């Protein structure tokens, strides 16, 4: 089993940057993919970015070129560097880790507003 705790959300102006962190505990060396999803009111949860244990990444089209996902396998952490933020990036961001099952953090709010 894995427990996930996100941090780093907050309020930022359009064009600004934030860095989200997710710390895993438990069976961290069994984790395959890790990723970030987001959900805004009246929308389904959507993939933002995902990274495999070997470092292969994929991104939603809406964030390509602006967001960067990275991870530290030894520490069980995954990060999301978000640059050039837009109001439409406003959402609750959830950390995800996959072993056999998928595990989720509690979410962290990101609000992009002037």
């Amino acid at each position: 089993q894995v427990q996930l705790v996100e941090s780093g959300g907050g309020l930022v102006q359009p064009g600004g940057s934030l860095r989200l962190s997710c710390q895993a505990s438990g069976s961290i060396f069994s984790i395959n993919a890790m990723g970030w999803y987001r959900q805004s009111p009246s929308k389904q949860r959507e993939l933002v970015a995902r990274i495999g244990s070997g470092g292969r990444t994929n991104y939603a089209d809406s964030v390509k070129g602006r967001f960067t996902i990275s991870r530290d396998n030894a520490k069980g952490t995954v990060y999301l560097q978000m640059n050039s933020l837009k109001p439409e990036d406003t959402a609750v961001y959830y950390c995800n880790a996959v072993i056999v099952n998928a595990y989720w953090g509690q979410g962290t709010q990101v609000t992009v507003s002037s």
Side-chain angles (χ1 to χ4, degrees):
Q1 291 218 348
V2 171
Q3 296 77 44
L4 302 169
V5 178
E6 303 101 332
S7 60
L11 172 64
V12 63
Q13 292 187 341
S17 298
L18 280 176
R19 188 188 193 218
L20 304 183
S21 300
C22 175
Q23 178 67 61
S25 59
S27 301
I28 64 171
F29 296 110
S30 298
I31 297 174
N32 296 315
M34 298 188 79
W36 291 93
Y37 289 70
R38 66 186 181 188
Q39 187 168 17
S40 50
S42 75
K43 289 188 177 181
Q44 288 187 332
R45 191 173 297 188
E46 62 176 0
L47 173 69
V48 177
R50 182 166 53 208
I51 183 167
S53 57
R56 184 172 183 175
T57 60
N58 62 291
Y59 296 90
D61 287 343
S62 59
V63 307
K64 283 181 181 177
R66 301 188 298 123
F67 291 11
T68 303
I69 189 170
S70 61
R71 69 187 279 183
D72 186 327
N73 292 334
K75 295 181 179 179
T77 55
V78 63
Y79 307 97
L80 186 68
Q81 178 65 44
M82 305 186 293
N83 299 328
S84 303
L85 282 160
K86 304 175 181 179
E88 51 264 44
D89 295 317
T90 296
V92 178
Y93 284 69
Y94 296 92
C95 179
N96 167 270
V98 176
I99 302 178
V100 175
N101 299 320
Y103 297 88
W104 297 92
Q106 80 287 353
T108 184
Q109 176 70 46
V110 171
T111 303
V112 185
S113 175
S114 55

